[in-house]
């Protein structure tokens, strides 16, 4: 007798703790345009502020639902106090000196550094939305960008599979030293979700 029930695949369950609305909206948009390997089931959590990231991370890590939990956040301006605090708390939670370097995906000084790579090679040097508004308007036609929900949606609507490829090429060339303005390790995160799942075991071994 033929089984007409749909076959159920066990996908790798990944959780990403997003610092705030921009990070959440951006990764959600990447989910919508379907650029990641289908073996990954990615859940996003909006921490609604960098101060909430360590607690959200610990909660999702300990509940056992996910194979790996990652963090996606800004470094903000030097001396990066809140960003360094996030890394320190993750290291302390795992009792491993470099745990954070395994799970934290960053944009220096802000996530718009990564988002803008869909349109331009130009580096963002300030996390201030007022400073970055002209660049955002140039490429998205969103005027006076302040991160409002309606503005964020319009910016996200400009992100496509085609310019995703452009972003990938650009971030591959960017420095991944989180102390440097204009740096990001987003390329590593994307390579994780586009390829095989060996990286999950590697991260967990290091934690």
């Amino acid at each position: 007798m033929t089984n007409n029930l749909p076959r159920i695949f066990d996908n790798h369950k990944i959780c990403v703790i997003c610092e705030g609305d921009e990070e959440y909206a951006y990764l959600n948009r990447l989910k919508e345009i379907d650029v990641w390997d289908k073996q990954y089931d990615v859940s996003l959590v909006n921490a609604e502020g960098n101060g909430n990231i360590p607690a959200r991370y610990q909660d999702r890590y300990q509940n056992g639902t996910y194979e790996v939990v990652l963090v996606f956040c800004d470094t903000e301006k030097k001396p990066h106090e809140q960003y360094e605090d996030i890394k320190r708390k993750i290291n302390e939670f795992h009792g491993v000196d470099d745990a954070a370097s395994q799970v934290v995906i960053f944009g220096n000084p802000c996530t718009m550094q990564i988002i803008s790579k869909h349109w331009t090679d130009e580096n963002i040097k300030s996390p201030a939305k007022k400073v970055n508004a002209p660049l955002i308007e140039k490429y998205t036609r969103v005027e006076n960008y302040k991160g409002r929900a309606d503005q964020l949606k319009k910016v996200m609507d400009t992100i496509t599979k085609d310019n995703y490829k452009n972003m990938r090429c650009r971030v591959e060339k960017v420095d991944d030293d989180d102390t440097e303005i204009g740096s990001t390790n987003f390329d590593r995160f994307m390579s994780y979700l586009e390829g095989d799942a060996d990286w999950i075991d590697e991260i967990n071994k290091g934690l």
Side-chain angles (χ1 to χ4, degrees):
M1 183 175 179
T2 303
N3 184 351
N4 293 320
L5 292 174
R7 185 179 174 188
I8 298 174
F9 293 90
D10 291 326
N11 290 347
H12 296 285
K13 295 186 181 300
I14 314 298
C15 181
V16 185
I17 310 298
C18 302
E19 176 178 331
D21 295 340
E22 270 188 3
E23 291 78 16
Y24 182 91
Y26 179 51
L27 293 190
N28 192 57
R29 178 59 178 170
L30 296 187
K31 286 182 66 175
E32 288 175 350
I33 63 174
D34 195 25
V35 291
W36 298 332
D37 194 292
K38 296 186 184 302
Q39 68 181 305
Y40 298 112
D41 178 4
V42 181
S43 297
L44 306 175
V45 175
N46 187 343
E48 301 181 339
N50 53 20
N52 298 323
I53 289 174
R56 299 285 195 281
Y57 176 83
Q58 292 178 31
D59 176 68
R60 295 311 191 278
Y61 185 87
Q62 289 175 322
N63 74 17
T65 301
Y66 306 101
E67 290 179 60
V68 69
V69 180
L70 305 172
V71 168
F72 182 35
C73 64
D74 296 342
T75 65
E76 294 290 344
K77 294 181 291 187
K78 291 183 179 180
H80 313 305
E81 290 178 348
Q82 291 172 312
Y83 171 71
E84 291 297 333
D85 192 52
I86 290 168
K87 293 199 297 181
R88 179 182 59 79
K89 288 179 178 178
I90 290 174
N91 289 342
E92 290 177 351
F93 171 68
H94 288 289
V96 178
D97 289 343
D98 64 345
S101 69
Q102 304 295 313
V103 300
V104 174
I105 311 299
F106 69 88
N108 182 332
C110 59
T111 302
M112 192 54 70
Q113 181 71 260
I114 300 161
I115 297 172
S116 67
K117 291 293 185 282
H118 284 262
W119 323 303
T120 178
D121 285 306
E122 186 175 346
N123 273 341
I124 285 177
K125 299 178 181 178
S126 168
K129 289 181 172 60
K130 184 176 181 179
V131 173
N132 299 321
L135 181 144
I136 295 169
E137 181 177 355
K138 178 179 179 181
Y139 292 103
T140 69
R141 298 183 180 178
V142 175
E143 299 179 359
N144 194 26
Y145 181 74
K146 295 181 179 179
R148 296 195 317 262
D150 61 319
Q151 294 176 319
L152 194 50
K153 183 182 185 307
K154 289 178 181 177
V155 170
M156 293 304 118
D157 285 345
T158 70
I159 292 172
T160 66
K161 277 191 174 183
D162 284 340
N163 61 36
Y164 173 83
K165 295 174 185 176
N166 298 335
M167 178 275 293
R168 292 289 286 112
C169 291
R170 288 174 176 135
V171 297
E172 282 177 2
K173 303 172 186 175
V174 172
D175 194 338
D176 64 358
D177 179 350
D178 62 5
T179 65
E180 296 296 323
I181 293 175
S183 63
T184 181
N185 62 350
F186 198 69
D187 174 57
R188 181 174 60 170
F189 179 41
M190 292 298 93
S191 67
Y192 286 165
L193 295 180
E194 293 167 356
D196 63 48
D198 292 346
W199 61 274
I200 296 175
D201 288 337
E202 290 302 313
I203 286 179
N204 287 325
K205 286 176 185 177
L207 300 179

